[in-house]
C-alpha cells in the first residue's frame, strides 16, 4: 500500500507541477501570482526529485547481489 501511495503522491505532484507550468506559460498571471506559482513549483520539483531518488536507491538495492552491484536490463511491465 505504501508503494501505491508514494506513486500516487509522485503522480499528483507531477500533475500539479504541469498545471503550474501551463499557468505560468499563459502569461496571464500578475508578477506576484507568477512568483507564488514559481515558489510552489520549486517545492513540487523537490518532492518529485526526492521520490525519484528514493526509487533509484530501491532499484540499486534490489539489483545488489552478494555485496556487488549487478547490472540488469530494464524490462518494463507490459501489464500496466
Amino acid at each position: 500500500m505504501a508503494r501505491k501511495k508514494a506513486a500516487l503522491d509522485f503522480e499528483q505532484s507531477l500533475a500539479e507541477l504541469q498545471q503550474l507550468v501551463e499557468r505560468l506559460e499563459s502569461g496571464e498571471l500578475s508578477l506576484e501570482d507568477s512568483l507564488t506559482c514559481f515558489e510552489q513549483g520549486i517545492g513540487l520539483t523537490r518532492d518529485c526529485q526526492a521520490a525519484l531518488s528514493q526509487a533509484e536507491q530501491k532499484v540499486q538495492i534490489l539489483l545488489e547481489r552478494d555485496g556487488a552491484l549487478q547490472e540488469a536490463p530494464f524490462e518494463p511491465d507490459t501489464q500496466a
Side-chain angles (χ1 to χ4, degrees):
M1 177 84 115
R3 277 188 248 160
K4 285 188 178 184
K5 182 175 176 10
L8 290 176
D9 288 344
F10 174 78
E11 295 296 330
Q12 183 179 7
S13 292
L14 188 57
E16 288 177 31
L17 184 57
Q18 289 172 333
Q19 289 174 352
L20 284 173
V21 168
E22 289 173 7
R23 289 183 64 202
L24 286 166
E25 287 179 340
S26 75
E28 297 177 6
L29 297 174
S30 67
L31 177 60
E32 184 146 339
D33 289 340
S34 293
L35 289 172
T36 299
C37 284
F38 182 77
E39 186 176 358
Q40 291 171 345
I42 293 296
L44 290 169
T45 299
R46 288 181 180 151
D47 292 344
C48 289
Q49 287 174 336
L52 290 173
S53 178
Q54 286 180 340
E56 183 179 13
Q57 289 173 355
K58 287 180 184 179
V59 168
Q60 286 180 345
I61 290 170
L62 292 171
L63 292 177
E64 193 170 306
R65 302 281 186 259
D66 298 322
L69 189 63
Q70 296 179 352
E71 292 187 28
F74 175 71
E75 296 177 19
D77 184 12
T78 57
Q79 296 176 352

